[in-house]
Amino acid sequence: MESGSLQTVCCSPSFNPGRWFFSEQQVADSPSRKFGISGPEESVLRAKVIRYIREASIKLRLPQVVIATASVYFHRFFSRRSFTQFNGNIIATACIFLASKVEEASARSRDVINVARRILTPNEALLDVDQGYWELKDQLIAAEQTLLRVLGYNLVVTHPYKLLCTYVQSFRSELSPAQTTRVAQFAWNVVNDSFLTTACLTHRPHVVACAALFFSLRLLEIDCILLRTPWWLQFDARFPDIETALALLLDMYENMSEFDAVGSTSASTTTSSSSSVSSSSSMVTTTVASLVSDADVSPTAPVPVPR
C-alpha cells in the first residue's frame, strides 16, 4: 500500500481515535487472558516485543516517531487478538513496516526482513533474493494486511512528545535552563518507556505527558514551585489519572529484570531513566501517595498561570 492511500485512509470520516482507549478492566480482560495467558505473562510478552520493535527500528535507522507508532499499533492489535492466535514478533515486524510508511520514513521490505532475521535468528545468514526471501516477504505483507484489518484502518496516532515539550517550555520561568534540560530529557525517556506498558491504551497522550513530567520533577528532586502547585490542571489532566499512569510505569520498572535481556542493544533509549527509577521506585511511590500532604496543596487548588 502506498503512502498516499494510507493518508486517505487515515483521514477518512470513519476514523475514531476514541475507540482505542480502554478502561483498566477492559485491558485486564484482554483476549490473551481469555486464552489462558495471565496478566503478568502478557505484560512481559508485550514488553519483550516492544523492546524488539525498538531494536529493529534503531537498526533500520528509523526515527523515534516510527518506534512509538509501531508500539501503539502492536498494543492495539493485541487488545483485539490473543498472543495464542498470532506470533507477536511477526505482528511487531508488520507494525514497524506499516508505521514507517504512515510516518513517511518508509523502510524497504527487504531491509525489514533482514533486520528481523538478524535479531530473532542471529545465527542465520542474510537472505539472498530467492524463494526463502519471497516467502518471508509474502508473510510480512499478509501480516500487514491482518494488522490493517484489526486496526480498522485507523492509523492516526497522537503521541505525548509534542505535548511534553510544550508543557516543559511553559515552566521555563520556574526552572533554570539546566533544570529544564534535565527534566525534559528525563521525561522524554519516561515517555519512551511508557510504551513498554499499556499506558497508550488506558491514558490519553496529555495524561502520559503529565505523568512523565510529574515523575521527572519528583525523582530528580528539583526544588521549585511546581512541587507545591497542581500544575497539571492547566493541561486538563486529573491527578487520579496521573497516579494510575505512574502505577503502570513503576510496576514496569520494578519488573524490568524479567525482560531486560531482550532488546539489550536498544536499551540506550531507556538507560538514563530506568537505572535511576528502578533503584528509587519505592521513594517515588511514597512521593505520589503523599503529594498533597507533602506539598500542602489541594489537587484542585487554583493553578498559577506560567509566565
Side-chain angles (χ1 to χ4, degrees):
M1 184 179 291
E2 298 178 356
S3 59
S5 59
L6 284 174
Q7 293 298 326
T8 301
V9 170
C10 290
C11 298
S12 65
S14 61
F15 174 63
N16 176 21
R19 66 177 291 194
W20 293 112
F21 289 100
F22 307 91
S23 68
E24 292 182 34
Q25 187 58 50
Q26 288 174 316
V27 171
D29 294 334
S30 69
S32 294
R33 205 80 79 258
K34 297 174 183 177
F35 281 85
I37 297 178
S38 69
E41 288 174 329
E42 183 175 2
S43 295
V44 171
L45 279 173
R46 286 178 181 269
K48 284 182 176 180
V49 179
I50 296 300
R51 281 288 189 89
Y52 158 67
I53 288 175
R54 287 183 176 181
E55 183 176 356
S57 298
I58 289 171
K59 289 184 181 296
L60 288 164
R61 298 183 179 180
L62 295 172
Q64 178 62 37
V65 67
V66 173
I67 300 175
T69 298
S71 299
V72 173
Y73 289 168
F74 178 81
H75 283 302
R76 290 180 176 180
F77 182 90
F78 283 103
S79 72
R80 302 293 192 192
R81 297 293 184 271
S82 170
F83 279 96
T84 61
Q85 298 172 298
F86 293 90
N87 183 299
N89 289 325
I90 293 175
I91 294 301
T93 304
C95 289
I96 296 169
F97 189 48
L98 178 60
S100 73
K101 291 187 282 188
V102 172
E103 301 297 348
E104 300 181 352
S106 295
R108 296 190 307 171
S109 58
R110 184 178 180 182
D111 292 338
V112 173
I113 291 169
N114 276 322
V115 165
R117 278 172 54 84
R118 176 62 63 88
I119 296 172
L120 300 175
T121 55
N123 295 325
E124 295 188 17
L126 294 177
L127 282 174
D128 293 324
V129 183
D130 56 11
Q131 183 62 29
Y133 165 75
W134 292 110
E135 289 176 358
L136 287 175
K137 183 173 181 180
D138 288 343
Q139 183 183 67
L140 175 62
I141 299 303
E144 182 187 36
Q145 293 299 316
T146 300
L147 175 64
L148 283 166
R149 286 194 295 271
V150 172
L151 295 180
Y153 295 88
N154 296 160
L155 306 178
V156 172
V157 179
T158 301
H159 296 299
Y161 296 109
K162 288 184 178 179
L163 295 170
L164 176 64
C165 291
T166 300
Y167 298 168
V168 172
Q169 284 299 310
S170 72
F171 297 145
R172 61 185 181 275
S173 62
E174 311 297 341
L175 303 172
S176 69
Q179 289 175 329
T180 300
T181 300
R182 287 183 66 207
V183 169
Q185 184 59 64
F186 196 98
W188 186 281
N189 288 337
V190 172
V191 171
N192 287 345
D193 289 350
S194 73
F195 291 108
L196 294 168
T197 76
T198 54
C200 63
L201 298 179
T202 55
H203 294 80
R204 303 276 179 169
H206 72 285
V207 174
V208 175
C210 285
L213 183 52
F214 179 92
F215 197 12
S216 303
L217 288 168
R218 302 300 289 190
L219 199 64
L220 295 175
E221 299 181 333
I222 293 176
D223 185 19
C224 64
I225 193 174
L226 299 177
L227 299 182
R228 297 178 290 278
T229 58
W231 50 265
W232 51 87
L233 292 179
Q234 64 185 296
F235 304 126
D236 198 28
R238 299 171 57 251
F239 190 68
D241 295 332
I242 293 175
E243 282 187 301
T244 56
L246 287 173
L248 286 173
L249 287 166
L250 290 171
D251 183 67
M252 178 269 296
Y253 286 128
E254 290 171 351
N255 294 285
M256 187 168 284
S257 60
E258 295 185 33
F259 56 85
D260 199 42
V262 180
S264 58
T265 60
S266 63
S268 60
T269 58
T270 64
T271 298
S272 62
S273 57
S274 61
S275 61
S276 57
V277 172
S278 59
S279 63
S280 308
S281 57
S282 60
M283 179 274 290
V284 177
T285 303
T286 302
T287 300
V288 172
S290 60
L291 173 70
V292 176
S293 59
D294 286 351
D296 193 27
V297 62
S298 166
T300 58
V303 182
V305 179
R307 296 182 292 277

